[in-house]
Amino acid sequence: LIHFYKRHGRMDLCDINRNILKCLSKKLDVKYTGDLSVELIGKINQKFGVVEHPQDLDSLQRVFHQLGIDLSHIDFQKVKSNEELHTYLLLDFLNVLFEALLADNPDVFNQLLLSYRAKSLRGKNKKSSSKSSNREDHSSHGGEGRRRSG
């Protein structure tokens, strides 16, 4: 990006976003389309093992939230409406993430995926165990749903 800035004397987010998209498309072996395509989002989500709605930007946001990565500075609604600044913020983050995880040490990326999957499974187990414990509370107390104090 520094070279781009020096050559042109200005920073045009649209051009920068296109360059980052080209890099991401090449890294993830997706056809470059000039925008944050459904196919590219799907490939990114696929890398994180997203099964439900893999081509959905919200799924990607949930993945990062579950990993504990704070992207609150990125307004995903503005990304969906192709607002250049927020699209840049997301693309830059994704580019740096994949550069670090894929190019330098693929094992680190695999560990990140395992961490995400473990957190995802724990979340699902908590939901199912809380549902079953609620059913037990209702059935073991005559349907009252609360414990009697001694």
Side-chain angles (χ1 to χ4, degrees), residues 21-111:
L21 280 166
K22 285 178 187 176
C23 290
L24 282 171
S25 296
K26 185 177 179 180
K27 284 176 193 164
L28 299 172
D29 195 29
V30 174
K31 182 182 175 191
Y32 171 72
T33 61
D35 62 356
L36 189 55
S37 67
V38 172
E39 185 181 5
L40 183 60
I41 293 169
K43 189 72 165 199
I44 293 167
N45 277 332
Q46 181 185 5
K47 289 285 186 187
F48 287 101
V50 173
V51 179
E52 291 183 29
H53 311 292
Q55 297 176 325
D56 183 20
L57 199 56
D58 294 329
S59 296
L60 184 61
Q61 186 178 14
R62 281 190 296 277
V63 165
F64 292 126
H65 178 75
Q66 287 178 329
L67 287 170
I69 299 172
D70 180 17
L71 295 179
S72 60
H73 62 288
I74 300 173
D75 186 333
F76 279 80
Q77 291 302 319
K78 289 183 179 181
V79 173
K80 289 177 186 178
S81 64
N82 294 319
E83 199 276 337
E84 288 180 347
L85 176 61
H86 288 271
T87 300
Y88 164 75
L89 292 171
L90 178 62
L91 291 175
D92 187 50
F93 169 75
L94 291 170
N95 193 43
V96 169
L97 177 69
F98 282 108
E99 183 71 30
L101 295 176
L102 295 177
D104 293 339
N105 191 350
D107 290 335
V108 173
F109 184 72
N110 290 332
Q111 290 174 359

Side-chain angles (χ1 to χ4, degrees), residues 97-127:
L97 177 69
F98 282 108
E99 183 71 30
L101 295 176
L102 295 177
D104 293 339
N105 191 350
D107 290 335
V108 173
F109 184 72
N110 290 332
Q111 290 174 359
L112 181 68
L113 289 178
L114 290 174
S115 167
Y116 165 68
R117 290 183 181 135
K119 288 179 180 182
S120 179
L121 287 174
R122 279 195 299 264
K124 288 178 183 176
N125 287 340
K126 284 182 182 178
K127 287 179 185 176

